[in-house]
């Protein structure tokens, strides 16, 4: 498997709204912590080290 | 005069005048500086092989204080090969349950279920002086059987001069100075190695600015034999992390990570230590059990190594060559592995069987092992003491998640327990024609497995072993002065099959004296084995 950088999320506007809503009413510190947890959960779900490495590069 | 740097707890080798102090200068094949775990293991290994070893130590026995307290399986396997393992395991404490706390709450607990079919446990907790005493007693036994080992107490090395074909050593004793010569000098004289200083060699790496307070407390109270580790402990002034675990003799080791800017003298005040210990011990039960403070110490640590472990006729082993953080118990354990790697090579060189170039492989293999240990201990340190805001955020996210999801628990790093290095791709290892299990591939230390009423590793002693598994034809192989001992096993335990054969019906392994696999084949091939022996001795046969 390789990293997908093509559109892959159904209803992107819905997803984006949910992402922001998850951060509503959070302090900066709480938001940072939420983001960190989210990254770890998603990274574990992907699991594939090649994909994760490619994602780290793509995000830079 | 030889200064006393510390108190000894066991007097093992009291100062005694020897002839070499006044007569003509004597020359020794191997002089080992330092009678700690590394120096003693090396002397014992050499002596059992028949190569004379002289140990010089500036004290008369094992120093007071628990110091290294966790000895891993590979170390116990080495000690067993040397005849010192059983006493250590009998005395040591084995724990299986660990609890990890973050602040007030417990985030998870684990049970280390050991893998079956090994003589030794994954590790034991044992105070370093007991470890040293067991090695010393094995040395006494070896001496009684004629092993040429000598230990001189209160013999402090004050000068080391290297010449092309010998090392000149100046030694101070309670009765004054004397000189001796050595073919080889092995510096096992600890992290502050005076030998390294005398030779003006550097010791580079990363310094961690942190102070750790160690308190050994004696508790008769019924307290669980578990390892408790806190990230951000809730007790006042406990610092970034705290650790509690058990040693023999009702002693509990407690570590507090205090940070850098501390007042050492104040932190060492017994009352102040007691208030911290009270808070920790009562944190789960609400009551403080009765205890005595046995030993306390503050230390800082660094992760670094010498660029090269061999400098001509002087070789460095253990903490003198490399230093790690204490997380993962990679100090004494890796040092004992250094000793084991060096012993058989030095033996071949001293006996004139191999050229001294063989010793370069000691340096290469153990420098690699040191890098691995430094990497692991640095990662643990960075997890425990995040250095930036974002690393703190991720670290705490891992701890938060670990409380509710199992996936995050392997990310929690309070030290990765010492495991032996696999010398993958190093020049002294040969082919993997068997394509068998990864755990026993060329370069790996042999995994243990039941054999008859005993275990495999108990049969891998002395020199090179040719291990034949299954109903296959095999003959002993000899290459000039290198003999292989043939061990042919046909009654195979399931563990032995799983760890050595995979799906193959037969297997041939060539195994080094330090129990690392050189090469392996599905069937006997004398020419291939001879080639592997040439490889295993670094093409240095004289």
């Amino acid at each position: 498997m390789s990293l997908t950088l093509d559109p892959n999320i159904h209803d992107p506007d819905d997803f984006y709204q949910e992402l922001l809503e998850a951060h509503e009413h959070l302090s900066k510190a709480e938001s940072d912590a939420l983001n960190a947890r989210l990254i770890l959960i998603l990274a574990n779900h992907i699991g594939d080290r090649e994909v994760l490495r490619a994602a780290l590069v793509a995000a830079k | 005069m030889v200064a006393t740097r510390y108190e000894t707890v066991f007097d093992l080798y009291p100062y005694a005048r020897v002839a070499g102090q006044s007569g003509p200068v004597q020359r020794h094949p191997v002089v080992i500086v330092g009678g700690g775990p590394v120096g003693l293991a090396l002397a014992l290994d050499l002596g059992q092989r028949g190569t004379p070893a002289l140990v010089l130590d500036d004290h008369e026995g094992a120093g007071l204080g628990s110091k290294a307290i966790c000895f891993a399986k590979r170390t116990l396997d080495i000690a067993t090969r040397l005849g010192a393992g059983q006493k250590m395991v009998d005395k040591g404490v084995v724990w299986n349950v660990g609890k990890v706390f973050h602040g007030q709450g417990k985030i998870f607990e684990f049970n280390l279920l050991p893998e079956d079919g090994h003589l030794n446990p994954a590790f034991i907790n044992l105070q370093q002086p007991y470890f040293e005493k067991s090695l010393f007693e094995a040395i006494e036994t070896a001496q009684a059987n004629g092993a040429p080992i000598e230990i001189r107490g209160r013999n402090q090395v004050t000068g080391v001069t290297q010449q092309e074909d010998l090392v000149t050593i100046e030694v101070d004793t309670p009765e004054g100075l004397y000189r001796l010569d050595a073919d080889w000098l092995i510096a096992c004289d600890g992290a502050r190695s005076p030998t390294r200083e005398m030779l003006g060699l550097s010791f580079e790496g990363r310094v961690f600015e942190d102070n750790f307070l160690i308190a050994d407390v004696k508790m008769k109270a019924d307290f669980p034999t578990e390892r408790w580790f806190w990230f951000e402990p809730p007790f006042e002034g406990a610092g970034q992390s705290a650790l509690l675990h058990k040693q023999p003799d009702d002693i509990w080791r407690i570590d507090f990570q205090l940070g850098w800017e501390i007042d050492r003298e104040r932190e060492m005040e017994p009352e102040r230590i007691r208030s911290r210990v009270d808070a920790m011990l009562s944190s789960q039960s609400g009551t403080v059990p009765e205890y005595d403070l046995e030993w306390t110490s503050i230390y800082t640590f660094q992760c670094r190594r010498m660029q090269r472990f061999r400098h001509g006729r002087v070789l460095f082993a253990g903490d003198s060559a490399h230093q790690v953080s204490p997380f993962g118990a990679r100090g004494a354990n890796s040092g004992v592995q250094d000793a084991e790697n060096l012993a058989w090579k030095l033996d071949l060189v001293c006996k004139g069987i191999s050229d001294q170039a063989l010793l370069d492989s000691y340096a290469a293999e153990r420098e690699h092992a040191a890098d691995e240990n430094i990497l692991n201990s640095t990662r643990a340190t960075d997890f425990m003491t995040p250095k930036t805001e974002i690393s703190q955020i991720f670290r705490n996210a891992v701890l938060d998640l670990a409380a509710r999801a199992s996936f995050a628990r392997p990310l929690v790093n309070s030290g990765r327990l010492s495991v032996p290095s696999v010398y993958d791709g190093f020049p002294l290892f040969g082919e993997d024609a068997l394509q068998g299990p990864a755990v026993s591939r060329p370069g790996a230390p042999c995994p243990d497995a039941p054999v008859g009423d005993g275990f495999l590793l108990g049969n891998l002693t002395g020199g090179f072993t040719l291990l034949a598994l299954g109903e296959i034809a095999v003959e002993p192989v000899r290459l000039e002065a290198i003999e292989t001992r043939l061990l042919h096993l046909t009654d195979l335990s399931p563990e032995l099959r799983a760890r050595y054969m995979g799906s193959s019906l037969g297997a041939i392994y060539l195994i080094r004296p330090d129990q690392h696999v050189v090469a392996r084949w599905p069937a006997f091939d004398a020419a291939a084995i001879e080639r592997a022996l040439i490889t295993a001795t670094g093409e240095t046969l004289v």
Side-chain angles (χ1 to χ4, degrees):
Chain A
M1 203 175 80
S2 60
L3 178 70
T4 300
L5 289 174
D6 298 324
N8 195 32
I9 299 176
H10 289 292
D11 306 322
D13 292 347
D14 276 3
F15 162 71
Y16 193 74
Q17 187 183 342
E18 282 169 33
L19 179 64
L20 293 189
E21 278 170 2
H23 284 275
E24 258 174 40
H25 312 301
L26 298 186
S27 67
K28 173 77 167 83
E30 288 165 341
S31 260
D32 285 346
L34 175 72
N35 278 339
R37 289 194 299 271
L38 185 62
I39 289 169
L40 292 168
I41 288 168
L42 294 174
N44 180 67
H45 181 81
I46 293 164
D48 187 321
R49 288 288 311 281
E50 286 299 316
V51 175
L52 292 172
R53 211 172 283 128
L56 284 169
V57 172
K60 280 261 182 187
Chain B
M1 208 42 225
V2 182
T4 303
R5 290 182 295 122
Y6 50 79
E7 247 183 279
T8 50
V9 62
F10 298 127
D11 288 326
L12 302 174
Y13 31 85
Y15 170 74
R17 188 176 177 81
V18 294
Q21 278 172 252
S22 44
V25 171
Q26 294 185 352
R27 182 162 178 165
H28 298 261
V30 179
V31 170
I32 297 165
V33 187
V38 183
L40 293 178
L42 179 60
L44 182 53
D45 211 338
L46 284 169
Q48 286 181 351
R49 294 178 189 283
T51 286
L54 169 63
V55 179
L56 305 176
D57 193 280
D58 62 350
H59 287 67
E60 296 182 315
L64 179 72
S66 55
K67 298 189 277 188
I69 63 158
C70 186
F71 293 93
K73 184 178 142 52
R74 183 65 207 145
T75 305
L76 298 173
D77 288 340
I78 295 168
T80 301
R81 181 173 60 74
L82 297 173
Q86 191 61 48
K87 267 187 198 164
M88 296 172 183
V89 174
D90 289 347
K91 181 75 188 173
V93 170
V94 177
W95 58 266
N96 286 312
V97 174
K99 289 179 177 163
V100 180
F101 303 87
H102 183 202
Q104 292 287 351
K106 184 178 87 180
I107 53 177
F108 65 97
E109 68 177 75
F110 55 87
N111 193 338
L112 300 164
L113 293 173
E115 190 184 56
D116 280 341
H118 296 266
L119 171 67
N120 284 314
F123 53 87
I124 58 169
N125 281 0
L126 180 72
Q127 295 90 325
Q128 184 174 326
Y130 283 119
F131 186 88
E132 293 175 12
K133 187 161 173 271
S134 297
L135 285 175
F136 179 78
E137 286 164 358
I139 286 176
E140 286 184 312
T141 304
Q143 284 168 329
N145 292 325
I149 307 169
E150 187 188 349
I151 305 180
R152 297 183 187 169
R154 296 208 76 182
N155 271 237
Q156 183 184 17
V157 174
T158 53
V160 174
T161 314
Q162 190 160 196
Q163 293 159 39
E164 198 184 327
D165 60 345
L166 87 162
V167 184
T168 298
I169 303 161
E170 198 172 87
V171 183
D172 198 6
T173 73
E175 295 179 279
L177 293 165
Y178 72 103
R179 203 191 106 183
L180 52 82
D181 292 340
D183 294 343
W184 301 99
L185 180 122
I186 318 301
C188 307
D189 49 355
R192 282 187 280 268
S193 172
T195 307
R196 201 182 55 227
E197 296 289 317
M198 284 182 262
L199 292 174
L201 298 169
S202 64
F203 196 30
E204 307 204 336
R206 191 167 157 196
V207 181
F208 292 89
E209 297 199 328
D210 219 326
N211 285 286
F212 282 75
L213 170 67
I214 303 177
D216 276 358
V217 306
K218 191 171 185 106
M219 256 198 301
K220 285 282 173 58
D222 195 21
F223 205 82
T225 302
E226 296 172 351
R227 178 189 195 259
W228 291 2
F229 188 92
W230 280 263
F231 291 99
E232 300 179 337
F235 347 115
E236 199 195 322
Q240 287 268 13
S241 72
L243 172 65
L244 169 76
H245 54 166
K246 191 166 193 269
Q247 306 173 51
D249 304 339
D250 302 313
I251 304 284
W252 296 82
R253 160 70 75 86
I254 301 177
D255 292 326
F256 296 103
Q257 191 183 355
L258 298 183
W260 188 237
E261 310 252 328
I262 61 161
D263 178 344
R264 281 175 85 98
E265 259 173 57
R266 180 158 172 264
E267 297 299 349
M268 284 295 281
E269 284 168 13
E271 269 175 34
R272 192 163 165 80
I273 295 174
R274 289 195 80 98
S275 75
R276 284 209 170 94
V277 172
D278 287 356
M280 175 190 267
L281 294 180
S282 63
S283 69
Q284 302 306 302
S285 65
T287 56
V288 180
E290 236 180 83
Y291 67 87
D292 298 318
L293 283 181
E294 284 277 312
W295 180 68
T296 56
S297 171
I298 287 182
Y299 72 96
T300 59
F301 64 80
Q302 298 169 337
C303 288
R304 56 183 181 170
R305 74 162 169 91
M306 294 180 75
Q307 207 180 353
R308 288 179 293 128
F309 292 0
R310 179 180 175 202
H311 289 264
R313 293 187 164 267
V314 180
L315 293 103
F316 292 81
D319 282 357
S320 73
H322 47 77
Q323 213 187 342
V324 292
S325 79
F327 317 116
R330 287 166 180 269
N333 284 304
S334 67
V336 172
Q337 288 161 41
D338 289 348
E340 141 155 287
N341 188 297
L342 181 54
W344 68 270
K345 295 173 181 173
L346 200 50
D347 175 63
L348 289 183
V349 171
C350 287
K351 285 178 178 156
I353 295 172
S354 272
D355 180 81
Q356 57 168 281
L358 180 60
L359 301 176
D360 289 331
S361 74
Y362 157 74
E365 289 171 6
R366 295 313 296 168
E367 285 158 9
H368 163 76
D371 285 342
E372 215 170 80
N373 288 318
I374 288 170
L375 175 68
N376 274 286
S377 94
T378 303
R379 284 174 170 176
T381 307
D382 285 341
F383 189 87
M384 292 164 64
T385 318
K387 303 290 183 293
T388 63
E389 188 189 358
I390 192 67
S391 60
Q392 174 94 26
I393 289 167
F394 272 111
R395 199 285 300 272
N396 285 346
V398 167
L399 295 177
D400 285 349
L401 287 168
R404 43 193 163 116
S406 65
F407 90 83
R409 290 170 200 164
L411 294 169
V412 175
N413 191 347
S414 63
R416 303 290 185 217
L417 190 76
S418 168
V419 288
S421 278
V422 177
Y423 305 124
D424 280 319
F426 276 81
L428 266 56
F429 298 90
E431 61 189 325
D432 183 4
L434 177 71
Q435 293 289 308
V439 70
S440 53
R441 67 188 183 274
C446 286
D448 209 358
V451 168
D453 296 334
F455 289 87
L456 178 67
L457 296 188
N459 290 286
L460 303 178
T461 54
F464 283 89
T465 302
L466 195 58
L467 172 67
L469 301 171
E471 306 279 353
I472 52 175
V474 62
E475 289 165 36
V477 174
R478 187 192 172 93
L479 180 76
E480 293 167 45
I482 303 274
E483 252 178 282
T484 58
R485 199 172 63 86
L486 179 60
L487 177 65
H488 192 175
L489 304 172
T490 49
D491 183 12
L492 307 173
S493 65
E495 292 92 341
L496 192 63
R497 279 181 191 282
R499 291 168 197 165
Y500 285 86
M501 297 180 75
S503 56
S504 179
L505 294 175
I508 302 273
Y509 279 76
L510 179 64
I511 298 165
R512 299 206 308 197
D514 61 7
Q515 299 180 337
H516 280 256
V517 174
V518 174
R520 58 183 180 178
W521 304 267
F524 178 73
D525 176 345
I529 293 166
E530 277 180 28
R531 274 199 308 277
L533 271 169
I534 292 171
T535 303
T537 47
E539 303 187 28
T540 60
L541 293 183
V542 177

